[in-house]
Amino acid sequence: MKGEKTERFGIVGHDQPRVDGMDKATGRTRFAGDLKVPGCLYGKVLRSPYPHARILDIDTSRAERLAGVRAVVTFRDSPNILFGAYNSGVKDELILARDRVRFVGDEVAAVAASDPSIAQEALSLIRVTYEPMPVCLSVAEAMAENAVKIHDVEQNIASHKVTVRGDPDAGFKEADLVLEDRFETDLQFHAFLEPVSCIAEYDTRGRFHLWAPSQNPSWCRIIFSEAMDLPISRFRTVQTPIGGAFGGKLEQKLYLIAFLLARKAGKPVRLENTREEEFQTSMPRVPMVIDLKMGMRRDGLITAKSHRIIGDNGAYSKYAPAVINLGTYRVDGLYGIRNIRNETILVYTNKMPTSAYRGFGNPQITFAVESLFDMMINELGLDPLETRLKNSARPGDTTAHGFKLISCGLRESFESLGRQMDYRGAGLARDKAEGVGFSGTSHVCGNRGFFPLFDGSTAFVRIDEGGNVRIIVGETDVGQGLLTAFAMIAAEELGISISRIQVDACDTDLSAFGLGTWGDRATFIGGNAVKTAAAQARKEIIEVAAGMLEANAADLVLRDDTVYVRGARNTGIAFSEAAAHAVYTRGGSPIMAKGTFIPDSEGADATFFGNISGTYAFGAQSCRVRVDRRTGEVEVLEFYAAHDVGRALNPMACHGQVEGSIAQGIGYGLMEQAVYKDGVMLNPGFLNYGVPTALDVPPVRSTLIETIDPAGPFGAKGVAEPAMTPTAACIANAIFDAVGVRIKDLPITPEKVWKGLKAQERGE
Amino acid sequence: MTRLEFHRPDTLKEALEILEKFPGSRIVAGGTDLIVLMKDLLVKPSALVSLSRVKEFSRIDFNADGLHLGPMTPLWRMEKHDRIKGTFPALFQAVISLAVPPIRNQATVGGNLCLDTKCIYYNQSRVWKRALTTCFKGGGKICHVAPSGKRCLGGLVAETAGPFSIYNAVLTIASPRNVRTLPIEDFFSGDGIKPNTLAPGEVVAGIRIPLPPSGAGAAYYRFSTRKALEFSRVNLTGAICLDERGRISSARLLVGAIGPAPVEVRKSLVPLIGQVPSEKLWSETAKGVAGEAVRLSRSPRLTPHLQAVVTVNTERIFQQAWREATGNSA
């Protein structure tokens, strides 16, 4: 591995502007909302204004009579089959509500018309008779003894799991300090700029075609098939460029509604969320109440951890069962905790369904663990950095949950922060105090837990007679720069310039089956598939060139767009010449190569034990904040981040991921908050839901730690999700360092800090 | 689809005639707020009358009398105007803290002053509002901000309202029948449903601010969740004037955004008069300010935390105004 680290590459490891950057910057990229299809109808969805109500009657007759209306659909047009996220174990949704609505925004009916304003008017003509029901707006209300049942489950519990590893009792006994506290986290919205949007068409052969910004085009067909009660073969997904996803563009109910409308109208139908609908239904981050207990030896070693997490599922489960289980156990590998008792309870409420968001449960639990860890470090008077280093996972470890760490740069990450951040003796001004906080992070790079039968990726490489290289994959660029990473990997492997390469978005009729982009899997797993396919293509084109040059293929190299005999560069032929020769002399057959990568992962058992990912990503962050002692306002002054990315394929893209993550983490930590009244979200828009602006994000100094992962493509791992995970905890710890106030619930608003400071003044 | 007439008259006279001819028509200045309201169907004008071609409406005049602003002056021109920055720092601070540069490029000073109140319960789409009972402003019988209250508590979020008040701006109001002048304090109605006293068909035709007397200093502060693209949750505009012996001859403070009009705190500032400025003096004075603002506004928007914000920043504002007054602003 050491050898490869120092190996020089022509493309990999160098800053590469996005291959799709120019089109995006000049407005040429056609997002789903830009697509024009002749004869396309415009759809609108009628949603519940009640957080919980019985539907007594739905009368669509007036809407159907409105001129320009081509289809009105209700539950009568859809199968009466409950479905849910794949392999989540919970099926609790219908495409359109049948006899009950469970949150404000629940989908009841939909209309397709020749014009959006007609569709909107038609919605107002649909008469739904509701009978309001009692409402549970918090997990506490929902779990109360006499609470109304939102679904037919006891205490509104959608999922309840307990996992024990090692001997937690003995671990706590061994501890010199046991600390226990409650931490709470709030909703967080993906707030991507491109709202969920699609065009659906039903063809004369009975196939549904969907153009949509889907994170998981192949995988979502499985859910379509289940919800529509039709075989997978009847669905085709064409992925359109994705204007931000962050876990929020997995399968959408909107797509299923579009199918119903397209089938009934016999025309293509466009459906698009308004921003308000995004905030009503876009499946934000699962809020959690985390009761956490940890034991620590006097020297700072963590001996045991137990948590009981109650997650707010919202009205339907989606991926929340997986978020609360997989996401919240992930943290245990960070500091090599061995004695563990983890309990998770997911509870229905009459709020919007919650689901996946960058980090997948990990930011929630990392906020709790890193906060409590910090409290213990302070209690024992230990050094925050030294103590984290002492506990940090190391390469070669197998964690309590069975994760095999084949590479791990956590210690190097903390050490890097220690060199950069002066954290001892923060400055103290009169009204304003400064403090420094730390937090670590670990994450998967793929997860077989979702789809035990399958892990991996397959890529196709096709080289035409002009020497253009087309790469077709099953993973998706969600804005993180995957197209660029794949183009770089292929260009490096083939020995050609990156401008020859185009990476296609997924079309399930053409691409190989893939799980898409989530769980930090795309670069690590998909990148390996592309690398393998490119290597195969190189072999084939060299063979063609060998015939042309009358040379032995083993003596040929392909570099700088030229195939030549090793050591005799001027004898070579151009890559494009070889490509043309291949096509013309082989009956039109282009070079077509296929590459498959299957990571060395295993499906987890019923207790979530197993090496679910081919490798794991690590990192650490530190920030300096200034707290106004009199108003509680927190200003983040600077952020340092060090992330083990395996190898930085495209350093500028890695830094970009870290910076973007920290911006989102600052929003999560300090600002973003859903305000509710009677089950209605009061701030469903960018004006009052405060995602940070450029002025709210400080300079981010990001360092990339290269551990050259043995399994990664050129040694690369993922970075997009782990970079978001530690940020909120880091800020909370810095605030404590500054003013001695510990805020245990997110977001850390000035009001909470101010109240903490007041309590401190009163000596509480 | 509803049709909308759009007029762009060249003169004020023409504009006033059109406004009279089309009942239910609205003036569009920069449109940064009106278009949003129209999208949410909160206003449904029969016609839009743009004043962008009325030449004298986008003039900035600075002379011995003071500053004259045409109502169509875009905010960016005010923030780039050195003499506005130097002479009316509180106004300058309010303008640069407002929204974001692209909005300030489009939004106008007259539009800002005439901004309707904002409320999280009212400024929502029609679809969204099905989920909550209609409030006073929508024609209902409740204020969700203060459910026991009897009036609309929509917040006046026009960031320039406080600074124009503190600088004693005088407005020129034109109608088809006459032109009148109106001191700024009579411009705000205190009614959240319609926060200004303009009669139908009337137009703000100019804003005049006298030059501040020597020895005067003013400052502006706003509190919001993030640093841009947000209306303030509370804002403060303060001013003091020092006599030739360096004692305070007058002091004013306005608390904005918590109700339908800026609230002027007076009683708490009485002890300042005749005193020599000091940090101690500010902190003594600031203690009563938030309580007085609560009593005057009767607004639950001024939470205990925001009261603390008001107290602390009253001190900071007077300190800054003092520096301004003594020419020590750098």
Side-chain angles (χ1 to χ4, degrees):
Chain A
M1 283 314 109
K2 274 272 181 287
E4 204 178 348
K5 189 168 187 173
T6 50
E7 190 180 336
R8 291 190 60 80
F9 296 107
I11 293 168
V12 157
H14 302 276
D15 284 342
Q16 171 67 46
R18 278 169 192 243
V19 293
D20 51 335
M22 191 57 91
D23 279 351
K24 281 184 173 153
T26 57
R28 283 165 207 248
T29 303
R30 288 188 205 102
F31 293 97
D34 299 318
L35 298 180
K36 298 258 185 298
V37 178
C40 191
L41 304 175
Y42 296 85
K44 289 274 180 193
V45 179
L46 183 70
R47 300 175 181 281
S48 166
Y50 293 97
H52 201 186
R54 265 183 208 94
I55 298 176
L56 302 181
D57 183 47
I58 305 176
D59 177 4
T60 58
S61 56
R62 285 179 67 208
E64 280 159 23
R65 286 198 299 272
L66 184 70
V69 169
R70 303 296 293 269
V72 181
V73 294
T74 65
F75 71 90
R76 295 181 196 98
D77 300 280
S78 69
N80 187 21
I81 293 173
L82 289 173
F83 67 96
Y86 182 74
N87 201 30
S88 74
V90 188
K91 295 184 195 299
D92 54 15
E93 292 187 76
L94 291 169
I95 302 176
L96 291 164
R98 187 179 184 86
D99 49 15
R100 191 112 73 95
V101 286
R102 296 179 171 88
F103 72 101
V104 173
D106 209 346
E107 295 85 351
V108 177
V111 171
S114 53
D115 177 282
S117 63
I118 295 174
Q120 188 67 53
E121 193 185 339
L123 290 190
S124 66
L125 298 175
I126 298 174
R127 288 282 163 261
V128 185
T129 315
Y130 294 103
E131 182 185 79
M133 292 175 68
V135 169
C136 299
L137 295 176
S138 69
V139 289
E141 278 171 52
M143 291 174 81
E145 205 152 317
N146 50 359
V148 65
K149 278 190 177 181
I150 299 169
H151 291 271
D152 193 20
V153 290
E154 284 310 310
Q155 278 191 289
N156 286 310
I157 293 173
S159 148
H160 186 179
K161 306 274 183 199
V162 179
T163 296
V164 178
R165 309 269 187 242
D167 186 343
D169 291 338
F172 282 115
K173 226 171 257 165
E174 193 195 328
D176 296 306
L177 173 70
V178 174
L179 221 54
E180 196 169 355
D181 222 315
R182 170 169 288 191
F183 299 86
E184 294 182 51
T185 68
D186 206 345
L187 288 171
Q188 185 185 22
F189 289 85
H190 312 89
F192 29 65
L193 282 184
E194 180 209 22
V196 170
S197 175
C198 71
I199 290 180
E201 187 168 16
Y202 184 66
D203 72 17
T204 50
R205 293 186 305 149
R207 283 192 90 204
F208 291 97
H209 302 258
L210 176 75
W211 289 263
S214 171
Q215 269 182 269
N216 58 343
S218 304
W219 184 9
C220 71
R221 294 205 300 172
I222 299 172
I223 292 93
F224 296 161
S225 155
E226 192 179 316
M228 297 286 287
D229 197 21
L230 291 167
I232 288 176
S233 61
R234 302 278 289 275
F235 299 93
R236 170 185 171 216
T237 313
V238 183
Q239 179 224 332
T240 53
I242 298 175
F246 313 113
K249 284 179 179 161
L250 298 165
E251 62 272 9
Q252 303 282 326
K253 205 176 251 191
L254 203 72
Y255 303 158
L256 294 164
I257 296 170
F259 290 151
L260 297 180
L261 286 171
R263 181 167 64 185
K264 194 158 182 181
K267 290 261 190 186
V269 173
R270 169 194 296 290
L271 263 183
E272 188 166 27
N273 275 345
T274 61
R275 184 56 62 181
E276 186 178 300
E277 287 177 303
E278 280 297 335
F279 278 101
Q280 277 180 328
T281 65
S282 69
M283 301 173 277
R285 190 184 291 289
V286 183
M288 295 181 188
V289 178
I290 301 164
D291 286 320
L292 177 67
K293 181 172 148 187
M294 281 172 25
M296 190 188 265
R297 273 187 356 207
R298 196 162 288 115
D299 63 359
L301 202 76
I302 302 170
T303 57
K305 172 211 153 207
S306 78
H307 72 224
R308 177 173 182 267
I309 300 179
I310 301 179
D312 187 341
N313 197 14
Y316 302 98
S317 293
K318 315 273 184 184
Y319 286 94
V323 168
I324 199 169
N325 290 315
L326 310 176
T328 59
Y329 294 1
R330 201 159 286 167
V331 72
D332 296 333
L334 181 61
Y335 294 126
I337 306 174
R338 296 283 153 194
N339 303 310
I340 298 164
R341 184 183 186 279
N342 287 340
E343 181 176 8
T344 59
I345 304 170
L346 188 66
V347 178
Y348 287 112
T349 60
N350 291 115
K351 295 203 293 198
M352 73 192 79
T354 59
S355 193
Y357 186 137
R358 195 176 206 163
F360 207 77
N362 205 354
Q364 291 95 313
I365 186 68
T366 299
F367 167 65
V369 166
E370 280 285 6
S371 293
L372 192 70
F373 189 19
D374 212 59
M375 288 159 75
M376 301 175 88
I377 288 169
N378 278 296
E379 183 104 8
L380 291 174
L382 299 168
D383 181 287
L385 196 57
E386 297 298 327
T387 314
R388 282 179 172 84
L389 275 167
K390 189 182 187 81
N391 285 280
S392 286
R394 294 161 191 267
D397 285 356
T398 298
T399 76
H401 302 301
F403 296 5
K404 291 181 181 135
L405 311 185
I406 57 172
S407 71
C408 172
L410 182 59
R411 296 176 59 80
E412 291 91 325
S413 300
F414 276 124
E415 282 161 358
S416 162
L417 294 182
R419 284 191 296 274
Q420 297 179 75
M421 182 60 116
D422 175 20
Y423 66 97
R424 292 180 180 91
L428 245 159
R430 189 170 44 164
D431 277 1
K432 296 181 181 183
E434 288 185 11
V436 172
F438 290 94
S439 174
T441 174
S442 71
H443 211 75
V444 290
C445 292
N447 185 348
R448 199 185 274 260
F450 277 86
F451 208 116
L453 190 66
F454 176 90
D455 195 4
S457 181
T458 291
F460 303 125
V461 171
R462 174 184 183 274
I463 305 171
D464 74 6
E465 69 274 27
N468 293 324
V469 179
R470 200 103 188 194
I471 295 173
I472 306 165
V473 287
E475 327 312 334
T476 52
D477 191 320
V478 292
Q480 84 280 43
L482 193 70
L483 297 179
T484 311
F486 284 173
M488 291 173 79
I489 289 169
E492 186 69 55
E493 190 65 36
L494 277 163
I496 59 172
S497 50
I498 200 164
S499 60
R500 291 191 174 277
I501 296 175
Q502 182 175 331
V503 188
D504 282 346
C506 283
D507 176 337
T508 54
D509 276 5
L510 301 171
S511 319
F513 176 82
L515 293 189
T517 294
W518 48 268
D520 247 37
R521 67 187 298 285
T523 299
F524 174 68
I525 299 178
N528 269 316
V530 170
K531 188 168 186 282
T532 310
Q536 177 61 28
R538 184 190 58 205
K539 193 164 159 257
E540 287 182 30
I541 203 145
I542 283 179
E543 275 162 18
V544 171
M548 295 167 78
L549 289 166
E550 295 175 356
N552 191 340
D555 298 333
L556 295 181
V557 285
L558 168 47
R559 196 169 292 160
D560 301 331
D561 299 88
T562 312
V563 189
Y564 56 90
V565 179
R566 190 172 282 109
R569 204 173 170 123
N570 50 359
T571 62
I573 52 164
F575 170 78
S576 54
E577 219 179 307
H581 192 78
V583 171
Y584 297 153
T585 61
R586 306 192 312 173
S589 167
I591 303 284
M592 285 278 281
K594 187 182 81 174
T596 295
F597 173 72
I598 303 173
D600 184 15
S601 61
E602 59 196 20
D605 68 15
T607 73
F608 308 106
F609 184 91
N611 186 35
I612 55 172
S613 173
T615 191
Y616 300 85
F618 292 88
Q621 292 178 4
S622 177
C623 70
R624 185 186 305 279
V625 301
R626 183 185 293 147
V627 182
D628 189 322
R629 286 179 175 280
R630 302 183 64 198
T631 64
E633 285 165 283
V634 176
E635 190 179 1
V636 185
L637 301 174
E638 55 181 348
F639 245 99
Y640 287 91
H643 286 274
D644 165 16
V645 297
R647 179 192 298 280
L649 294 175
N650 184 2
M652 69 191 282
C654 295
H655 291 305
Q657 285 300 302
V658 172
E659 287 167 15
S661 290
I662 286 174
Q664 280 183 324
I666 287 173
Y668 187 50
L670 294 174
M671 299 173 187
E672 297 181 36
Q673 198 165 24
V675 184
Y676 273 92
K677 184 184 168 73
D678 305 338
V680 185
M681 187 184 172
L682 294 179
N683 53 341
F686 282 146
L687 179 60
N688 293 311
Y689 178 79
V691 292
T693 68
L695 291 182
D696 300 300
V697 181
V700 173
R701 291 172 230 285
S702 145
T703 305
L704 304 174
I705 307 292
E706 297 200 311
T707 51
I708 314 301
D709 188 80
F714 299 102
K717 304 197 276 189
V719 67
E721 292 195 68
M724 152 101 211
T725 296
T727 308
C730 208
I731 295 169
N733 292 342
I735 292 170
F736 181 83
D737 188 47
V739 292
V741 169
R742 176 66 62 182
I743 306 299
K744 297 167 200 157
D745 58 325
L746 296 180
I748 304 173
T749 60
E751 186 166 4
K752 289 178 191 170
V753 178
W754 175 76
K755 282 181 176 161
L757 287 159
K758 285 273 141 194
Q760 190 187 51
E761 262 174 45
R762 292 193 301 267
E764 284 166 25
Chain B
M1 224 178 252
T2 42
R3 297 188 69 81
L4 186 68
E5 294 219 23
F6 184 67
H7 299 275
R8 258 197 299 186
D10 293 316
T11 65
L12 173 60
K13 183 166 174 289
E14 227 183 302
L16 291 167
E17 281 166 12
I18 297 167
L19 284 168
E20 192 167 41
K21 192 172 147 203
F22 294 94
S25 58
R26 288 283 298 247
I27 294 169
V28 56
T32 55
D33 193 48
L34 184 67
I35 304 303
V36 179
L37 295 172
M38 287 170 66
K39 273 188 162 176
D40 285 343
L41 301 173
L42 292 171
V43 295
K44 291 168 224 166
S46 59
L48 289 182
V49 184
S50 165
L51 302 177
S52 59
R53 286 189 181 165
V54 180
K55 282 213 178 64
E56 69 272 22
F57 268 31
S58 27
R59 265 189 14 218
I60 300 182
D61 279 330
F62 220 112
N63 55 37
D65 294 340
L67 171 67
H68 176 93
L69 290 167
M72 289 294 287
T73 306
L75 296 171
W76 72 266
R77 282 185 58 205
M78 293 171 67
E79 69 185 85
K80 302 285 181 222
H81 199 289
D82 286 343
R83 289 189 66 189
I84 293 180
K85 183 179 176 181
T87 316
F88 304 106
L91 182 60
F92 171 77
Q93 286 158 12
V95 168
I96 57 161
S97 71
L98 199 152
V100 281
I103 291 178
R104 297 203 294 271
N105 289 346
Q106 178 74 16
T108 66
V109 64
N112 189 258
L113 205 51
C114 296
L115 207 62
D116 199 358
T117 54
K118 292 268 176 284
C119 181
I120 206 166
Y121 296 99
Y122 177 77
N123 293 90
Q124 302 280 1
S125 75
R126 193 171 61 165
V127 174
W128 179 93
K129 279 201 197 144
R130 282 184 201 160
L132 273 188
T133 46
T134 312
C135 68
F136 285 129
K137 191 156 180 162
K141 291 192 170 63
I142 189 168
C143 173
H144 292 296
V145 177
S148 59
K150 297 206 166 17
R151 62 190 184 113
C152 170
L153 273 179
L156 187 80
V157 288
E159 303 289 347
T160 57
F164 278 129
S165 302
I166 216 110
Y167 290 123
N168 300 304
V170 176
L171 309 179
T172 307
I173 311 285
S175 75
R177 272 154 294 282
N178 65 356
V179 176
R180 62 185 175 114
T181 55
L182 187 69
I184 185 84
E185 59 265 32
D186 296 334
F187 180 70
F188 302 111
S189 68
D191 177 359
I193 295 173
K194 184 179 175 300
N196 63 56
T197 56
L198 286 178
E202 281 191 325
V203 170
V204 174
I207 304 164
R208 196 162 47 77
I209 324 181
L211 287 179
S214 70
Y220 168 89
Y221 163 85
R222 65 180 265 157
F223 180 84
S224 51
T225 302
R226 50 185 177 182
K227 289 181 182 159
L229 208 58
E230 202 169 281
F231 293 113
S232 45
R233 287 174 61 204
V234 61
N235 60 52
L236 297 172
T237 319
I240 58 165
C241 196
L242 303 178
D243 63 19
E244 58 279 11
R245 294 178 307 155
R247 291 176 193 275
I248 299 167
S249 59
S250 74
R252 292 181 67 195
L253 183 74
L254 286 106
V255 184
I258 54 168
V263 169
E264 175 144 18
V265 171
R266 290 195 171 88
K267 223 171 143 186
S268 313
L269 306 190
V270 171
L272 288 176
I273 307 302
Q275 301 292 315
V276 176
S278 70
E279 285 190 42
K280 187 158 172 280
L281 183 65
W282 310 137
S283 64
E284 286 301 316
T285 308
K287 282 179 189 158
V289 163
E292 189 179 346
V294 171
R295 282 193 298 278
L296 292 171
S297 67
R298 285 179 292 159
S299 171
R301 290 180 197 272
L302 214 47
T303 58
H305 172 243
L306 284 190
Q307 290 172 36
V309 168
V310 166
T311 307
V312 173
N313 287 288
T314 296
E315 295 174 24
R316 291 174 184 168
I317 267 198
F318 278 129
Q319 181 72 12
Q320 203 181 327
W322 179 26
R323 280 204 302 267
E324 290 285 342
T326 53
N328 200 9
S329 58

